[in-house]
Amino acid sequence: MKAAVVRAFGEPLVIEERPDPEPGPGQVRIRVEASGLCHTDIHAAHGDWPVKPTPPFVPGHEGVGLVEKLGAGVTHLTVGRRVAVPWLGRACGRCEHCLSGWETLCEQQINTGYGCDGGYAEKMLAWADFAQTVPEGISALEAAPLTCAGVTTYKALKVAGVRPTQLVAVSGVGGLGHLAVQYAKIAGAQVAAIDVTDDKLELARELGADFVIDARTQDVGAELKRLGGAHAALALAVNPAAFEALNSGLRRGGKLVMVALPAHGTIQVPIFDTVLNGNSVVGSIVGTRQDLAEVFRLHAAGRTRVVHETRPLAAVNESIDEVLRGQVKARIVFDLGTGR
Ligand code: NAD
Ligand code: ZN
Ligand code: ZN
């Protein structure tokens, strides 16, 4: 089987021929049909974060495919079932976080495409208990972006506690943001979408944004304040300055939800304003299996639209460049054989 491998940080990925991986106890082998390119995979390939993966590794945590082989003890999945393999590859199931509905905070977790090989491959392994079954009627190409971009933004809105009529600012209408706009509308909020390309701002409008703000030419904080200030602001753009701009556009009692993970990112949070205004700054990391099940249910019910462009896995390096240049409409999905 072929896999796209990070051999060294910052170097182009290499397409390698590898033996099919053998599922261990509790695992399944999946024939990957589609695999989304999340910006996190680029951070992984560049070694951007303090906790780094160990090359060589196969990135990808939006892999979707058909179960091909069951490891020992797997009883709830069958060969041929379509499953999605998210960032939360496995968690311990026993710690305080796992037991309180916060498995995404488990300190024993293993992350797909980071702590173990991921979905940029024709075949991959997954822990069966964390492989999410994809409901009938959702194609692999659509399921892929939902598996990270979808669940992450759906969860970020839960963390923000958004209620109908509130103003939600979505900064960065990329893979994550184009779904965030839709979930915020489903939650009954008004949406102000912020980006730096005309195409993304137009896409945000198409997807239901009530207001768009062009961060190249407009003062994001001032524009949000002019709208009354954001009750919740989702920071999805890979740029610390964009986090600070959002923070200055919160209304009193507002929440800045940090989601994007720029390399070496830090921001200045003014103490006086934060205290007097009763604002919060909170981080949000992906979502649980239950969150992903809800994301799939919403999509199966026709409530969301996944905007994607397909590429062959062999175009992995060019695809990464396209994302970095901001040229992708929302999400690139590698098509590994949906037509087979
Ligand atoms: P993306 O590249 O698809 O989208 C980023 C968007 O931000 C693009 O539309 C770009 O035009 C826009 N942008 C760039 N500069 C901007 C600015 N100054 N103001 C407003 N918009 C700007 O990336 P993505 O796949 O959506 O991922 C976004 C970030 O979220 C990455 O850092 C990724 O690692 C992170 N992420 C975090 C989680 C989590 O659980 N916290 C999960 C997935 C991804
Ligand atoms: Zn991701
Ligand atoms: Zn745990």
PDB file of all heavy atoms in Angstrom, residues 68-100:
ATOM      1  N   GLU A  68     -11.592  -3.457   6.690  1.00  0.00           N
ATOM      2  CA  GLU A  68     -11.126  -4.545   5.829  1.00  0.00           C
ATOM      3  C   GLU A  68     -10.728  -5.777   6.643  1.00  0.00           C
ATOM      4  O   GLU A  68     -10.866  -6.903   6.197  1.00  0.00           O
ATOM      5  CB  GLU A  68      -9.915  -4.017   5.055  1.00  0.00           C
ATOM      6  CG  GLU A  68      -9.344  -4.919   4.034  1.00  0.00           C
ATOM      7  CD  GLU A  68      -8.165  -4.264   3.331  1.00  0.00           C
ATOM      8  OE1 GLU A  68      -7.079  -4.166   3.939  1.00  0.00           O
ATOM      9  OE2 GLU A  68      -8.329  -3.853   2.179  1.00  0.00           O
ATOM     10  N   LYS A  69     -10.246  -5.543   7.856  1.00  0.00           N
ATOM     11  CA  LYS A  69      -9.815  -6.675   8.691  1.00  0.00           C
ATOM     12  C   LYS A  69     -10.004  -6.331  10.160  1.00  0.00           C
ATOM     13  O   LYS A  69      -9.691  -5.208  10.571  1.00  0.00           O
ATOM     14  CB  LYS A  69      -8.337  -6.979   8.409  1.00  0.00           C
ATOM     15  CG  LYS A  69      -7.845  -8.252   9.054  1.00  0.00           C
ATOM     16  CD  LYS A  69      -6.481  -8.652   8.555  1.00  0.00           C
ATOM     17  CE  LYS A  69      -6.073  -9.960   9.217  1.00  0.00           C
ATOM     18  NZ  LYS A  69      -4.694 -10.333   8.915  1.00  0.00           N
ATOM     19  N   LEU A  70     -10.506  -7.300  10.918  1.00  0.00           N
ATOM     20  CA  LEU A  70     -10.753  -7.075  12.347  1.00  0.00           C
ATOM     21  C   LEU A  70      -9.622  -7.678  13.174  1.00  0.00           C
ATOM     22  O   LEU A  70      -9.220  -8.822  12.939  1.00  0.00           O
ATOM     23  CB  LEU A  70     -12.066  -7.747  12.774  1.00  0.00           C
ATOM     24  CG  LEU A  70     -13.337  -7.381  11.988  1.00  0.00           C
ATOM     25  CD1 LEU A  70     -14.534  -8.195  12.508  1.00  0.00           C
ATOM     26  CD2 LEU A  70     -13.641  -5.884  12.101  1.00  0.00           C
ATOM     27  N   GLY A  71      -9.124  -6.909  14.154  1.00  0.00           N
ATOM     28  CA  GLY A  71      -8.168  -7.459  15.105  1.00  0.00           C
ATOM     29  C   GLY A  71      -8.899  -8.278  16.156  1.00  0.00           C
ATOM     30  O   GLY A  71     -10.139  -8.247  16.244  1.00  0.00           O
ATOM     31  N   ALA A  72      -8.108  -8.977  16.990  1.00  0.00           N
ATOM     32  CA  ALA A  72      -8.702  -9.840  18.022  1.00  0.00           C
ATOM     33  C   ALA A  72      -9.611  -9.034  18.939  1.00  0.00           C
ATOM     34  O   ALA A  72      -9.282  -7.913  19.337  1.00  0.00           O
ATOM     35  CB  ALA A  72      -7.577 -10.485  18.834  1.00  0.00           C
ATOM     36  N   GLY A  73     -10.757  -9.583  19.241  1.00  0.00           N
ATOM     37  CA  GLY A  73     -11.645  -8.987  20.241  1.00  0.00           C
ATOM     38  C   GLY A  73     -12.589  -7.929  19.702  1.00  0.00           C
ATOM     39  O   GLY A  73     -13.405  -7.397  20.457  1.00  0.00           O
ATOM     40  N   VAL A  74     -12.490  -7.596  18.421  1.00  0.00           N
ATOM     41  CA  VAL A  74     -13.400  -6.560  17.887  1.00  0.00           C
ATOM     42  C   VAL A  74     -14.704  -7.233  17.468  1.00  0.00           C
ATOM     43  O   VAL A  74     -14.710  -8.112  16.587  1.00  0.00           O
ATOM     44  CB  VAL A  74     -12.775  -5.831  16.678  1.00  0.00           C
ATOM     45  CG1 VAL A  74     -13.766  -4.833  16.090  1.00  0.00           C
ATOM     46  CG2 VAL A  74     -11.480  -5.141  17.085  1.00  0.00           C
ATOM     47  N   THR A  75     -15.786  -6.829  18.121  1.00  0.00           N
ATOM     48  CA  THR A  75     -17.061  -7.486  17.843  1.00  0.00           C
ATOM     49  C   THR A  75     -18.126  -6.542  17.297  1.00  0.00           C
ATOM     50  O   THR A  75     -19.097  -6.975  16.696  1.00  0.00           O
ATOM     51  CB  THR A  75     -17.629  -8.119  19.138  1.00  0.00           C
ATOM     52  OG1 THR A  75     -17.641  -7.108  20.147  1.00  0.00           O
ATOM     53  CG2 THR A  75     -16.785  -9.291  19.612  1.00  0.00           C
ATOM     54  N   HIS A  76     -17.967  -5.235  17.505  1.00  0.00           N
ATOM     55  CA  HIS A  76     -19.063  -4.334  17.123  1.00  0.00           C
ATOM     56  C   HIS A  76     -18.916  -3.768  15.710  1.00  0.00           C
ATOM     57  O   HIS A  76     -19.811  -3.081  15.233  1.00  0.00           O
ATOM     58  CB  HIS A  76     -19.229  -3.196  18.141  1.00  0.00           C
ATOM     59  CG  HIS A  76     -18.162  -2.147  18.035  1.00  0.00           C
ATOM     60  ND1 HIS A  76     -16.868  -2.370  18.432  1.00  0.00           N
ATOM     61  CD2 HIS A  76     -18.187  -0.882  17.552  1.00  0.00           C
ATOM     62  CE1 HIS A  76     -16.148  -1.277  18.199  1.00  0.00           C
ATOM     63  NE2 HIS A  76     -16.936  -0.365  17.667  1.00  0.00           N
ATOM     64  N   LEU A  77     -17.803  -4.034  15.031  1.00  0.00           N
ATOM     65  CA  LEU A  77     -17.663  -3.595  13.644  1.00  0.00           C
ATOM     66  C   LEU A  77     -17.611  -4.822  12.750  1.00  0.00           C
ATOM     67  O   LEU A  77     -17.189  -5.900  13.178  1.00  0.00           O
ATOM     68  CB  LEU A  77     -16.373  -2.777  13.463  1.00  0.00           C
ATOM     69  CG  LEU A  77     -16.348  -1.385  14.100  1.00  0.00           C
ATOM     70  CD1 LEU A  77     -14.973  -0.742  13.914  1.00  0.00           C
ATOM     71  CD2 LEU A  77     -17.444  -0.490  13.527  1.00  0.00           C
ATOM     72  N   THR A  78     -18.027  -4.603  11.494  1.00  0.00           N
ATOM     73  CA  THR A  78     -17.976  -5.715  10.541  1.00  0.00           C
ATOM     74  C   THR A  78     -17.178  -5.278   9.330  1.00  0.00           C
ATOM     75  O   THR A  78     -17.084  -4.079   9.034  1.00  0.00           O
ATOM     76  CB  THR A  78     -19.396  -6.110  10.079  1.00  0.00           C
ATOM     77  OG1 THR A  78     -20.099  -4.910   9.742  1.00  0.00           O
ATOM     78  CG2 THR A  78     -20.152  -6.852  11.159  1.00  0.00           C
ATOM     79  N   VAL A  79     -16.629  -6.250   8.623  1.00  0.00           N
ATOM     80  CA  VAL A  79     -15.886  -5.952   7.405  1.00  0.00           C
ATOM     81  C   VAL A  79     -16.841  -5.268   6.422  1.00  0.00           C
ATOM     82  O   VAL A  79     -17.995  -5.669   6.276  1.00  0.00           O
ATOM     83  CB  VAL A  79     -15.289  -7.255   6.823  1.00  0.00           C
ATOM     84  CG1 VAL A  79     -14.725  -7.033   5.419  1.00  0.00           C
ATOM     85  CG2 VAL A  79     -14.196  -7.774   7.762  1.00  0.00           C
ATOM     86  N   GLY A  80     -16.348  -4.190   5.789  1.00  0.00           N
ATOM     87  CA  GLY A  80     -17.174  -3.467   4.809  1.00  0.00           C
ATOM     88  C   GLY A  80     -17.861  -2.235   5.373  1.00  0.00           C
ATOM     89  O   GLY A  80     -18.373  -1.416   4.625  1.00  0.00           O
ATOM     90  N   ARG A  81     -17.849  -2.080   6.710  1.00  0.00           N
ATOM     91  CA  ARG A  81     -18.496  -0.927   7.344  1.00  0.00           C
ATOM     92  C   ARG A  81     -17.663   0.321   7.095  1.00  0.00           C
ATOM     93  O   ARG A  81     -16.433   0.279   7.216  1.00  0.00           O
ATOM     94  CB  ARG A  81     -18.607  -1.193   8.856  1.00  0.00           C
ATOM     95  CG  ARG A  81     -19.459  -0.202   9.597  1.00  0.00           C
ATOM     96  CD  ARG A  81     -20.913  -0.569   9.403  1.00  0.00           C
ATOM     97  NE  ARG A  81     -21.800   0.303  10.158  1.00  0.00           N
ATOM     98  CZ  ARG A  81     -22.207   1.516   9.756  1.00  0.00           C
ATOM     99  NH1 ARG A  81     -21.811   2.013   8.623  1.00  0.00           N
ATOM    100  NH2 ARG A  81     -23.030   2.217  10.499  1.00  0.00           N
ATOM    101  N   ARG A  82     -18.331   1.437   6.773  1.00  0.00           N
ATOM    102  CA  ARG A  82     -17.592   2.704   6.587  1.00  0.00           C
ATOM    103  C   ARG A  82     -17.394   3.382   7.935  1.00  0.00           C
ATOM    104  O   ARG A  82     -18.363   3.581   8.688  1.00  0.00           O
ATOM    105  CB  ARG A  82     -18.342   3.634   5.630  1.00  0.00           C
ATOM    106  CG  ARG A  82     -17.632   4.983   5.454  1.00  0.00           C
ATOM    107  CD  ARG A  82     -18.243   5.838   4.353  1.00  0.00           C
ATOM    108  NE  ARG A  82     -17.930   5.295   3.057  1.00  0.00           N
ATOM    109  CZ  ARG A  82     -18.752   5.334   2.010  1.00  0.00           C
ATOM    110  NH1 ARG A  82     -19.944   5.898   2.116  1.00  0.00           N
ATOM    111  NH2 ARG A  82     -18.390   4.804   0.861  1.00  0.00           N
ATOM    112  N   VAL A  83     -16.136   3.721   8.213  1.00  0.00           N
ATOM    113  CA  VAL A  83     -15.807   4.381   9.483  1.00  0.00           C
ATOM    114  C   VAL A  83     -14.896   5.585   9.225  1.00  0.00           C
ATOM    115  O   VAL A  83     -14.237   5.677   8.183  1.00  0.00           O
ATOM    116  CB  VAL A  83     -15.102   3.424  10.485  1.00  0.00           C
ATOM    117  CG1 VAL A  83     -16.033   2.315  10.935  1.00  0.00           C
ATOM    118  CG2 VAL A  83     -13.825   2.857   9.898  1.00  0.00           C
ATOM    119  N   ALA A  84     -14.871   6.481  10.197  1.00  0.00           N
ATOM    120  CA  ALA A  84     -14.007   7.662  10.153  1.00  0.00           C
ATOM    121  C   ALA A  84     -13.044   7.577  11.327  1.00  0.00           C
ATOM    122  O   ALA A  84     -13.422   7.128  12.411  1.00  0.00           O
ATOM    123  CB  ALA A  84     -14.852   8.927  10.270  1.00  0.00           C
ATOM    124  N   VAL A  85     -11.805   8.017  11.095  1.00  0.00           N
ATOM    125  CA  VAL A  85     -10.788   7.904  12.145  1.00  0.00           C
ATOM    126  C   VAL A  85     -10.311   9.307  12.536  1.00  0.00           C
ATOM    127  O   VAL A  85      -9.500   9.910  11.844  1.00  0.00           O
ATOM    128  CB  VAL A  85      -9.601   7.043  11.677  1.00  0.00           C
ATOM    129  CG1 VAL A  85      -8.666   6.755  12.853  1.00  0.00           C
ATOM    130  CG2 VAL A  85     -10.091   5.748  11.039  1.00  0.00           C
ATOM    131  N   PRO A  86     -10.820   9.829  13.642  1.00  0.00           N
ATOM    132  CA  PRO A  86     -10.504  11.208  14.041  1.00  0.00           C
ATOM    133  C   PRO A  86      -9.180  11.334  14.799  1.00  0.00           C
ATOM    134  O   PRO A  86      -8.507  10.340  15.090  1.00  0.00           O
ATOM    135  CB  PRO A  86     -11.687  11.567  14.951  1.00  0.00           C
ATOM    136  CG  PRO A  86     -12.096  10.270  15.555  1.00  0.00           C
ATOM    137  CD  PRO A  86     -11.771   9.193  14.554  1.00  0.00           C
ATOM    138  N   TRP A  87      -8.866  12.585  15.125  1.00  0.00           N
ATOM    139  CA  TRP A  87      -7.646  12.938  15.896  1.00  0.00           C
ATOM    140  C   TRP A  87      -7.552  12.122  17.170  1.00  0.00           C
ATOM    141  O   TRP A  87      -6.493  11.638  17.542  1.00  0.00           O
ATOM    142  CB  TRP A  87      -7.724  14.433  16.211  1.00  0.00           C
ATOM    143  CG  TRP A  87      -6.660  14.994  17.086  1.00  0.00           C
ATOM    144  CD1 TRP A  87      -6.797  15.378  18.388  1.00  0.00           C
ATOM    145  CD2 TRP A  87      -5.290  15.270  16.730  1.00  0.00           C
ATOM    146  NE1 TRP A  87      -5.601  15.881  18.870  1.00  0.00           N
ATOM    147  CE2 TRP A  87      -4.653  15.824  17.881  1.00  0.00           C
ATOM    148  CE3 TRP A  87      -4.531  15.108  15.562  1.00  0.00           C
ATOM    149  CZ2 TRP A  87      -3.315  16.218  17.889  1.00  0.00           C
ATOM    150  CZ3 TRP A  87      -3.189  15.494  15.584  1.00  0.00           C
ATOM    151  CH2 TRP A  87      -2.604  16.030  16.719  1.00  0.00           C
ATOM    152  N   LEU A  88      -8.680  11.946  17.883  1.00  0.00           N
ATOM    153  CA  LEU A  88      -8.671  11.163  19.120  1.00  0.00           C
ATOM    154  C   LEU A  88      -8.643   9.682  18.746  1.00  0.00           C
ATOM    155  O   LEU A  88      -9.671   9.025  18.661  1.00  0.00           O
ATOM    156  CB  LEU A  88      -9.900  11.492  19.975  1.00  0.00           C
ATOM    157  CG  LEU A  88      -9.869  10.932  21.400  1.00  0.00           C
ATOM    158  CD1 LEU A  88      -8.758  11.568  22.242  1.00  0.00           C
ATOM    159  CD2 LEU A  88     -11.215  11.138  22.093  1.00  0.00           C
ATOM    160  N   GLY A  89      -7.426   9.193  18.514  1.00  0.00           N
ATOM    161  CA  GLY A  89      -7.256   7.809  18.061  1.00  0.00           C
ATOM    162  C   GLY A  89      -7.653   6.818  19.141  1.00  0.00           C
ATOM    163  O   GLY A  89      -8.245   5.780  18.875  1.00  0.00           O
ATOM    164  N   ARG A  90      -7.303   7.162  20.389  1.00  0.00           N
ATOM    165  CA  ARG A  90      -7.776   6.389  21.534  1.00  0.00           C
ATOM    166  C   ARG A  90      -7.560   7.206  22.800  1.00  0.00           C
ATOM    167  O   ARG A  90      -6.718   8.106  22.843  1.00  0.00           O
ATOM    168  CB  ARG A  90      -7.070   5.035  21.657  1.00  0.00           C
ATOM    169  CG  ARG A  90      -5.669   5.102  22.225  1.00  0.00           C
ATOM    170  CD  ARG A  90      -5.056   3.744  22.411  1.00  0.00           C
ATOM    171  NE  ARG A  90      -5.740   2.948  23.432  1.00  0.00           N
ATOM    172  CZ  ARG A  90      -5.311   1.769  23.837  1.00  0.00           C
ATOM    173  NH1 ARG A  90      -4.222   1.226  23.309  1.00  0.00           N
ATOM    174  NH2 ARG A  90      -5.961   1.098  24.761  1.00  0.00           N
ATOM    175  N   ALA A  91      -8.330   6.898  23.809  1.00  0.00           N
ATOM    176  CA  ALA A  91      -8.154   7.495  25.131  1.00  0.00           C
ATOM    177  C   ALA A  91      -8.266   6.360  26.130  1.00  0.00           C
ATOM    178  O   ALA A  91      -8.702   5.251  25.777  1.00  0.00           O
ATOM    179  CB  ALA A  91      -9.218   8.560  25.379  1.00  0.00           C
ATOM    180  N   CYS A  92      -7.881   6.626  27.407  1.00  0.00           N
ATOM    181  CA  CYS A  92      -7.726   5.491  28.336  1.00  0.00           C
ATOM    182  C   CYS A  92      -9.061   4.921  28.792  1.00  0.00           C
ATOM    183  O   CYS A  92      -9.165   3.742  29.117  1.00  0.00           O
ATOM    184  CB  CYS A  92      -6.864   5.896  29.528  1.00  0.00           C
ATOM    185  SG  CYS A  92      -7.743   6.808  30.817  1.00  0.00           S
ATOM    186  N   GLY A  93     -10.098   5.786  28.859  1.00  0.00           N
ATOM    187  CA  GLY A  93     -11.411   5.292  29.289  1.00  0.00           C
ATOM    188  C   GLY A  93     -11.561   5.154  30.790  1.00  0.00           C
ATOM    189  O   GLY A  93     -12.623   4.741  31.266  1.00  0.00           O
ATOM    190  N   ARG A  94     -10.518   5.505  31.556  1.00  0.00           N
ATOM    191  CA  ARG A  94     -10.576   5.285  33.000  1.00  0.00           C
ATOM    192  C   ARG A  94     -10.295   6.537  33.823  1.00  0.00           C
ATOM    193  O   ARG A  94     -10.587   6.585  35.003  1.00  0.00           O
ATOM    194  CB  ARG A  94      -9.533   4.232  33.414  1.00  0.00           C
ATOM    195  CG  ARG A  94      -9.867   2.828  32.999  1.00  0.00           C
ATOM    196  CD  ARG A  94      -8.801   1.855  33.479  1.00  0.00           C
ATOM    197  NE  ARG A  94      -7.487   2.238  32.986  1.00  0.00           N
ATOM    198  CZ  ARG A  94      -7.016   1.879  31.801  1.00  0.00           C
ATOM    199  NH1 ARG A  94      -7.721   1.118  31.008  1.00  0.00           N
ATOM    200  NH2 ARG A  94      -5.823   2.288  31.411  1.00  0.00           N
ATOM    201  N   CYS A  95      -9.698   7.561  33.197  1.00  0.00           N
ATOM    202  CA  CYS A  95      -9.260   8.722  33.985  1.00  0.00           C
ATOM    203  C   CYS A  95     -10.435   9.658  34.264  1.00  0.00           C
ATOM    204  O   CYS A  95     -11.534   9.497  33.730  1.00  0.00           O
ATOM    205  CB  CYS A  95      -8.128   9.467  33.276  1.00  0.00           C
ATOM    206  SG  CYS A  95      -8.664  10.373  31.818  1.00  0.00           S
ATOM    207  N   GLU A  96     -10.166  10.659  35.075  1.00  0.00           N
ATOM    208  CA  GLU A  96     -11.172  11.658  35.443  1.00  0.00           C
ATOM    209  C   GLU A  96     -11.800  12.300  34.186  1.00  0.00           C
ATOM    210  O   GLU A  96     -13.005  12.525  34.128  1.00  0.00           O
ATOM    211  CB  GLU A  96     -10.448  12.711  36.295  1.00  0.00           C
ATOM    212  CG  GLU A  96     -11.158  13.990  36.499  1.00  0.00           C
ATOM    213  CD  GLU A  96     -10.207  15.092  37.034  1.00  0.00           C
ATOM    214  OE1 GLU A  96      -9.085  14.780  37.482  1.00  0.00           O
ATOM    215  OE2 GLU A  96     -10.626  16.246  36.989  1.00  0.00           O
ATOM    216  N   HIS A  97     -10.955  12.585  33.200  1.00  0.00           N
ATOM    217  CA  HIS A  97     -11.448  13.270  31.993  1.00  0.00           C
ATOM    218  C   HIS A  97     -12.331  12.336  31.177  1.00  0.00           C
ATOM    219  O   HIS A  97     -13.428  12.699  30.747  1.00  0.00           O
ATOM    220  CB  HIS A  97     -10.274  13.773  31.156  1.00  0.00           C
ATOM    221  CG  HIS A  97      -9.317  14.607  31.942  1.00  0.00           C
ATOM    222  ND1 HIS A  97      -9.670  15.814  32.476  1.00  0.00           N
ATOM    223  CD2 HIS A  97      -8.028  14.380  32.324  1.00  0.00           C
ATOM    224  CE1 HIS A  97      -8.632  16.323  33.143  1.00  0.00           C
ATOM    225  NE2 HIS A  97      -7.635  15.459  33.070  1.00  0.00           N
ATOM    226  N   CYS A  98     -11.833  11.115  30.970  1.00  0.00           N
ATOM    227  CA  CYS A  98     -12.619  10.139  30.194  1.00  0.00           C
ATOM    228  C   CYS A  98     -13.970   9.884  30.871  1.00  0.00           C
ATOM    229  O   CYS A  98     -15.001   9.795  30.207  1.00  0.00           O
ATOM    230  CB  CYS A  98     -11.854   8.831  30.059  1.00  0.00           C
ATOM    231  SG  CYS A  98     -10.511   8.905  28.856  1.00  0.00           S
ATOM    232  N   LEU A  99     -13.943   9.784  32.188  1.00  0.00           N
ATOM    233  CA  LEU A  99     -15.168   9.417  32.907  1.00  0.00           C
ATOM    234  C   LEU A  99     -16.150  10.572  33.042  1.00  0.00           C
ATOM    235  O   LEU A  99     -17.312  10.365  33.372  1.00  0.00           O
ATOM    236  CB  LEU A  99     -14.816   8.860  34.301  1.00  0.00           C
ATOM    237  CG  LEU A  99     -14.065   7.536  34.270  1.00  0.00           C
ATOM    238  CD1 LEU A  99     -13.686   7.104  35.689  1.00  0.00           C
ATOM    239  CD2 LEU A  99     -14.885   6.437  33.604  1.00  0.00           C
ATOM    240  N   SER A 100     -15.669  11.792  32.794  1.00  0.00           N
ATOM    241  CA  SER A 100     -16.575  12.933  32.949  1.00  0.00           C
ATOM    242  C   SER A 100     -16.984  13.529  31.605  1.00  0.00           C
ATOM    243  O   SER A 100     -17.410  14.678  31.545  1.00  0.00           O
ATOM    244  CB  SER A 100     -15.932  13.999  33.840  1.00  0.00           C
ATOM    245  OG  SER A 100     -14.726  14.448  33.243  1.00  0.00           O
TER     246      SER A 100
END
